[in-house]
Amino acid sequence: MSYPDSFQGFAVVNDHKNWLNPEKIVYPAKKFGPQDVDVEIEACGVCGSDVHCANGNWGNQKLPLVVGHEVIGKVIRVGEECTTGIKVGDRVGVGAQVRSCLECRRCKEDNEPYCPKFVTTYSQPYPEDGYVSQGGYASHIRLHEHFAIPIPESLEAAYTAPLLCGGGTVYSPLKRYGCGPGKKVGIVGIGGIGHMGILLAKAMGAEVYAISRSHAKEEAAKKLGADHYIATKDEGWELENFDKLDLIVLCASSLTDVDFTKLPKLLTVGGILASISVPAAHEKLNLSPFELMGYKITESALASRKELIEMLNLVAEKNIKPWVEKLPISAESVSEAFQRMESGDVRFRFTFTDFDKQFGEFKAQK
């Protein structure tokens, strides 16, 4: 099989227990729809969600599964009913969503990530035919045109890819809950997403507080632009910073070490604690009503198309560059990235590159 009937990618094949040994496979593409586009991939970021799905932390997935939802590539095919103006040769990005109904109130109000008919970029069946979506560690990706995001020409693929999921996911609550000049914003968890939160909050004009367990990431946080640093292992940290912050965005990959009896004390009355943390499925968030008095807590989803375009324009305008380590895509590189993500051995994001070298022979079969 060859394109356009099939794609090639690196997949977890038979068992989640073997997730550190991905295999290069050829798999059928979903049926091409009239508003679909095909994207030939040139770079793909590595997100914590990829690890959770590959290793089974979010439950058993239908295998084989190709993960990856921070895609940059070139449009090579456009459906006959596309209306966004997208054309062959355009450079686009793909985040963690490839479909919604686009007809409900939520979709029409730029809330596509909250649509009941949301389809994730990988691991989720399409409602029409049950085809399970496949992701970006691959030669190509096929999706609805609405979720192919135009990329400003000045942005380099390797540094832009992580913004398509991680960057957008932290930008959305920053934008929706008032981050800007005159606001004091805390970013909890200075990792893959958190470091982008610091960069974006600072670019939006806020006074930024980086919040982490220890002082190990203080120097990095200051280099990223944080104005203040709070280590939650320090005695009395919640009292010293009482009633200071308008907004806290919780980016930690786990909620186990987050003290919800202390963290809200940093907020002003009416302040917002917005979590974007989606940890392993067994973790639960337990709160006492007394811990909710005076502030609001919410869980934020992905960025909408509108928010992603706004964020990318801001990144281009302010020349923002996430801290990225590039890896040429291969089975070995996917395994290395997964292992290092698990051990926290990355500052602060991976992007797979050199897709033409890995998939060039397959792509030539047109």
Side-chain angles (χ1 to χ4, degrees):
M1 294 188 294
S2 61
Y3 172 82
D5 300 312
S6 59
F7 299 153
Q8 191 176 44
F10 291 100
V12 178
V13 177
N14 295 314
D15 192 330
H16 286 295
K17 293 179 181 177
N18 202 33
W19 70 290
L20 293 176
N21 296 295
E23 298 179 30
K24 190 176 183 181
I25 65 168
V26 174
Y27 56 94
K30 88 170 193 72
K31 182 180 178 182
F32 191 85
Q35 285 190 274
D36 282 347
V37 297
D38 282 355
V39 177
E40 192 173 84
I41 299 172
E42 64 174 279
C44 185
V46 181
C47 184
S49 305
D50 301 346
V51 172
H52 283 307
C53 280
N55 66 17
N57 275 353
W58 285 353
N60 291 330
Q61 309 294 326
K62 184 175 180 180
L63 303 178
L65 177 64
V66 177
V67 299
H69 56 205
E70 296 178 338
V71 173
I72 301 285
K74 180 177 68 175
V75 176
I76 58 172
R77 185 182 181 190
V78 176
E80 67 271 16
E81 295 181 16
C82 287
T83 60
T84 59
I86 197 169
K87 60 186 184 299
V88 171
D90 284 354
R91 194 167 69 125
V92 297
V94 182
Q97 183 175 10
V98 291
R99 177 73 72 86
S100 70
C101 77
L102 298 177
E103 296 175 354
C104 68
R105 175 179 173 180
R106 293 184 176 193
C107 286
K108 290 179 178 179
E109 293 180 351
D110 298 311
N111 285 313
E112 310 96 304
Y114 301 92
C115 173
K117 295 183 179 179
F118 178 113
V119 176
T120 55
T121 301
Y122 57 78
S123 79
Q124 187 171 358
Y126 278 82
E128 317 85 86
D129 58 9
Y131 177 88
V132 176
S133 55
Q134 301 289 345
Y137 297 4
S139 59
H140 305 79
I141 190 166
R142 180 172 290 173
L143 70 153
H144 191 283
E145 61 164 337
H146 184 85
F147 299 97
I149 311 300
I151 302 296
E153 195 60 39
S154 63
L155 297 183
E156 185 178 338
Y159 296 98
T160 306
L163 294 164
L164 270 301
C165 176
T169 300
V170 71
Y171 177 80
S172 182
L174 289 172
K175 174 72 176 181
R176 290 175 186 241
Y177 303 127
C179 177
K183 298 294 183 178
K184 295 183 178 182
V185 175
I187 303 293
V188 182
I190 315 306
I193 292 182
H195 97 280
M196 289 185 277
I198 293 174
L199 289 167
L200 291 167
K202 191 65 180 175
M204 295 166 79
E207 184 176 341
V208 180
Y209 288 68
I211 304 171
S212 190
R213 283 174 292 184
S214 72
H215 287 273
K217 295 180 180 178
E218 183 167 5
E219 183 180 354
K222 294 293 181 64
K223 287 181 179 177
L224 288 162
D227 300 287
H228 311 278
Y229 190 89
I230 299 172
T232 59
K233 285 188 175 180
D234 289 352
E235 188 70 30
W237 63 272
E238 78 282 9
L239 302 176
E240 184 178 343
N241 295 283
F242 176 77
D243 198 36
K244 282 187 178 179
L245 304 183
D246 302 290
L247 170 65
I248 296 172
V249 181
L250 176 56
C251 305
S253 58
S254 169
L255 298 177
T256 303
D257 293 324
V258 179
D259 189 337
F260 285 93
T261 65
K262 292 183 177 181
L263 188 61
K265 297 182 186 298
L266 277 60
L267 288 166
T268 58
V269 174
I272 298 173
L273 172 57
S275 171
I276 59 172
S277 178
V278 186
H282 70 272
E283 289 198 29
K284 304 295 181 184
L285 177 59
N286 296 308
L287 291 171
S288 163
F290 293 101
E291 293 158 10
L292 298 175
M293 289 183 176
Y295 78 100
K296 304 168 188 175
I297 184 168
T298 184
E299 181 78 20
S300 180
L302 308 171
S304 67
R305 174 185 172 90
K306 180 180 178 182
E307 288 169 333
L308 284 171
I309 291 172
E310 287 177 355
M311 176 196 67
L312 291 171
N313 287 335
L314 174 70
V315 168
E317 177 190 345
K318 301 289 188 178
N319 193 28
I320 297 170
K321 268 193 174 182
W323 290 12
V324 167
E325 180 177 341
K326 305 174 193 176
L327 294 173
I329 191 162
S330 66
E332 294 74 20
S333 289
V334 174
S335 180
E336 177 189 344
F338 282 172
Q339 291 182 67
R340 291 176 59 189
M341 289 277 284
E342 279 284 81
S343 64
D345 180 25
V346 55
R347 287 282 179 103
F348 282 101
R349 208 71 169 183
F350 289 118
T351 297
F352 292 128
T353 60
D354 295 341
F355 279 65
D356 278 344
K357 292 180 183 178
Q358 185 61 238
F359 300 115
E361 185 176 330
F362 179 84
K363 289 178 179 181
Q365 301 178 55
K366 298 180 182 179

